[in-house]
Amino acid sequence: MNHSDIRHFINGEFVTGSSGRTFDNRNPVDNSVIGQVHEAAQEDVAAAVAAAKAALTGPWGQLSMAERTEMLYRVADRINERFDEFLEAECLDTGKPRSLASHIDIPRGAANFRVFADVIKNVPTESFRLDTPDAAGAVNIGHRAPKGVIAVISPWNLPLLLMTWKVGPALACGNTVVVKPSEETPLTTTLLGEVMNECGVPAGVYNVVHGFGPDSAGEFLTSNPDVDAITFTGETRTGEIIAAAAAKGLRDVSLECGGKNAAIVFDDCDLDKAIEGTMRSAFANCGQVCLGTERVYVQRSIYEQFRDRLVETAKGLRLGPPSDADSTLGPLISKEHQQKVLSYYELAREEGATVLLGGGQPTMADELNDGCWVEPTIWEGLDDDARVIREEIFGPCCHLRPFDSEEEVIALANDNPYGLATAIWTENSSRAIRVAEKIEVGIAWVNSWFLRDLRTAFGGAKQSGIGREGGVHSLEFYTELKNICLKL
Ligand code: NAD
């Protein structure tokens, strides 16, 4: 793929579209321009949706489930065969360490096609025998049909992984898709178009349009009446706009949105595990993980020990570009996001935080100095109503606060409009379950973080989203369940 000229993928072909407009795709490592991305006009998006609609009744719609799932296995295999190209593209767009992208982003991106092909083959639908007055009875059979054209709107933090997390189940269920990747990370979604063609996926089944949100590809897609359902991952504010767009025509919507996740560290935890897990949950992907921890509550008797060890360990994080094999922390995604995170670093000081580590912009080698770097940062001492405690920052930072009792920490963790995930650290399993049941989140980890079984439910409570995806839960969104009643 030519990284310098990124086109839409519509009806099996790479096209420049009709707007005549392009925008820069930048490398966050040094802010250099990787290439130009074509911005879709309304008619380009309409063409992609029309191709997706036509493909529903074309060769794709005639495939047996076995043929369709075989095709998706081939897609997974082909991503792995072209692993290095996907890796290079993802690292160019995001600047994340190669070690991270090669362990998480690319293999999980491929696995999403395999797992949902397996799910669709193995999930039964319901059946009920009904007695009738004439004694002959009736049989009810549940039948799952594809929902139709699915709009997939994805974010920049785990571009391939989060996009295929939606495209995998959508295609496994027999739908067609139009994907609008984040304007910050267009490469791997485009490269996947080549893979679809190589694997014989019929034209129109997988389409990609590039552009921004409002008054651009995102809005053109979500407002298109031939889109049957919209699945979105991104900020809660954007989720609200997309839910409003989906309301027109009563289209189904799945929203995976922001978080301000709490870690809860009890004094009976295995401290080594808690430190290792909190390091990952606060700093992995430079803190740009929706499930990441930005609030850490630590039981008072081990507070100072935990704090000192976390700060000491975090001093070992190494900022660097993907080409540096020793780097453990990449840059943020963009200059705009860098400014946002730095503004929270400033706000933390104004709100009275004690800065235990970092708190600013690092000095990098000359060739990297224009990149989107920020220091990993740890604070303590903020009030519970500080904005830094309440708002999602989405950077490599966390705030530590001591607590005394279980009841107190449950109330603290729940005192937030978001409800995505939590990580609880304790060796007492009764306490772990008792607390996990009371935290208002969609995902609760005990003694781990980001340990994902793709068959399980994934999604957020409160303002972190609507609906669940993963395993059979994805089938609820990507299929229309019909009851067929046969009178005997
Ligand atoms: P964002 O909301 O800014 O953008 C996400 C996508 O929506 C992009 O493709 C963008 O172009 C598009 N978009 C923006 N405005 C739109 C509009 N009006 N109509 C249609 N499309 C529009 O989010 P982001 O900054 O790319 O991602 C970071 C956010 O995503 C964080 O809040 C993070 O917590 C969240 N996130 C959530 C999950 C989850 O599973 N819950 C996973 C990853 C990221």
Side-chain angles (χ1 to χ4, degrees):
M1 190 178 71
N2 177 2
H3 293 157
S4 63
D5 179 43
I6 294 302
R7 301 178 176 202
H8 316 294
F9 182 67
I10 299 176
N11 208 22
E13 291 180 4
F14 290 96
V15 296
T16 55
S18 55
S19 78
R21 282 196 304 275
T22 59
F23 58 93
D24 288 347
N25 183 25
R26 286 181 182 269
N27 183 342
V29 160
D30 55 9
N31 204 30
S32 61
V33 175
I34 304 167
Q36 295 301 309
V37 185
H38 293 270
E39 185 183 355
Q42 183 130 24
E43 45 280 31
D44 305 320
V45 176
V49 173
K53 189 173 177 178
L56 286 168
T57 50
W60 176 246
Q62 316 308 319
L63 294 181
S64 67
M65 187 193 286
E67 290 166 330
R68 197 166 73 230
T69 50
E70 273 309 313
M71 206 172 258
L72 298 182
Y73 289 146
R74 279 210 294 284
V75 171
D77 290 343
R78 193 68 190 134
I79 294 173
N80 285 325
E81 285 161 16
R82 298 184 68 174
F83 193 95
D84 290 347
E85 289 169 78
F86 276 96
L87 184 62
E88 189 199 350
E90 204 72 310
C91 289
L92 262 179
D93 264 352
T94 61
K96 65 178 73 186
R98 273 173 182 270
S99 53
L100 181 71
S102 60
H103 273 95
I104 305 266
D105 298 67
I106 313 306
R108 278 276 304 278
N112 283 334
F113 287 99
R114 191 166 285 285
V115 165
F116 289 104
D118 285 340
V119 168
I120 192 79
K121 283 201 300 197
N122 291 301
V123 176
T125 47
E126 64 189 17
S127 166
F128 290 101
R129 181 80 158 73
L130 177 72
D131 289 339
T132 54
D134 67 0
V139 180
N140 290 286
I141 307 163
H143 171 76
R144 288 192 180 278
K147 204 161 251 176
V149 176
I150 310 287
V152 176
I153 312 250
S154 48
W156 45 257
N157 59 332
L158 298 152
L160 181 72
L161 187 160
L162 291 174
M163 181 267 298
T164 55
W165 172 244
K166 297 169 180 305
V167 171
L171 298 191
C173 293
N175 301 284
T176 59
V177 297
V178 180
V179 184
K180 209 299 280 170
S182 168
E183 53 274 29
E184 308 286 359
T185 51
L187 294 183
T188 47
T189 306
T190 309
L191 183 54
L192 188 59
E194 290 186 10
V195 166
M196 293 289 173
N197 279 350
E198 287 168 346
C199 295
V201 176
V205 171
Y206 174 82
N207 304 276
V208 180
V209 290
H210 293 293
F212 304 88
D215 202 24
S216 184
E219 187 181 324
F220 301 152
L221 182 57
T222 54
S223 61
N224 188 303
D226 283 331
V227 164
D228 298 295
I230 305 168
T231 175
F232 166 78
T233 299
E235 286 185 22
T236 295
R237 218 178 34 236
T238 315
E240 289 171 347
I241 296 169
I242 286 178
K248 186 113 199 251
L250 291 187
R251 278 103 41 89
D252 216 350
V253 66
S254 163
L255 304 174
E256 294 186 348
C257 298
K260 185 72 181 179
N261 310 299
I264 301 175
V265 186
F266 285 104
D267 60 8
D268 58 4
C269 73
D270 177 325
L271 201 57
D272 291 344
K273 280 193 227 161
I275 294 285
E276 188 274 336
T278 307
M279 281 296 298
R280 284 193 299 118
S281 71
F283 301 115
N285 208 34
C286 204
Q288 301 166 117
V289 182
C290 54
L291 308 161
T293 298
E294 291 188 355
R295 300 181 288 152
V296 186
Y297 299 106
V298 187
Q299 205 154 17
R300 198 173 301 274
S301 64
I302 59 162
Y303 179 81
E304 285 171 14
Q305 195 188 357
F306 179 94
R307 177 192 66 195
D308 295 348
R309 278 192 59 182
L310 189 75
V311 171
E312 222 26 63
T313 314
K315 282 182 185 162
L317 287 166
R318 196 181 147 142
L319 289 162
S323 55
D324 177 352
D326 295 331
S327 107
T328 47
L329 212 62
L332 294 172
I333 191 67
S334 63
K335 282 290 191 195
E336 188 189 343
H337 192 49
Q338 181 193 34
Q339 286 318 307
K340 175 184 161 184
V341 172
L342 288 173
S343 76
Y344 275 102
Y345 284 11
E346 190 54 43
L347 180 64
R349 283 200 180 80
E350 287 165 19
E351 291 187 316
T354 302
V355 182
L356 300 169
L357 181 76
Q361 196 174 345
T363 308
M364 303 296 290
D366 277 354
E367 68 278 13
L368 301 176
N369 225 0
D370 201 24
C372 310
W373 306 94
V374 296
E375 288 175 335
T377 293
I378 304 176
W379 305 286
E380 66 177 356
L382 283 170
D383 291 339
D384 296 326
D385 59 0
R387 282 182 52 206
V388 168
I389 301 286
R390 304 198 60 78
E391 299 173 13
E392 181 185 50
I393 300 171
F394 222 52
C397 53
C398 63
H399 176 263
L400 311 182
R401 180 211 196 278
F403 72 89
D404 293 298
S405 71
E406 231 175 87
E407 295 67 33
E408 179 194 11
V409 79
I410 290 167
L412 286 168
N414 286 340
D415 181 21
N416 196 270
Y418 292 109
L420 189 54
T422 190
I424 301 165
W425 302 92
T426 173
E427 292 297 303
N428 177 338
S429 43
S430 299
R431 163 184 272 170
I433 297 295
R434 192 166 62 232
V435 174
E437 286 180 350
K438 291 194 178 130
I439 306 291
E440 296 159 354
V441 289
I443 305 148
W445 277 290
V446 177
N447 297 333
S448 66
W449 177 77
F450 212 156
L451 181 59
R452 287 281 298 125
D453 180 331
L454 303 184
R455 295 167 300 183
T456 62
F458 182 92
K462 304 202 281 192
Q463 290 186 23
S464 290
I466 295 180
R468 293 290 179 272
E469 296 191 63
V472 294
H473 308 283
S474 290
L475 306 192
E476 293 301 324
F477 181 72
Y478 293 106
T479 61
E480 201 68 59
L481 179 59
K482 180 188 310 180
N483 186 63
I484 300 174
C485 178
L486 171 69
K487 172 76 176 66
L488 299 175

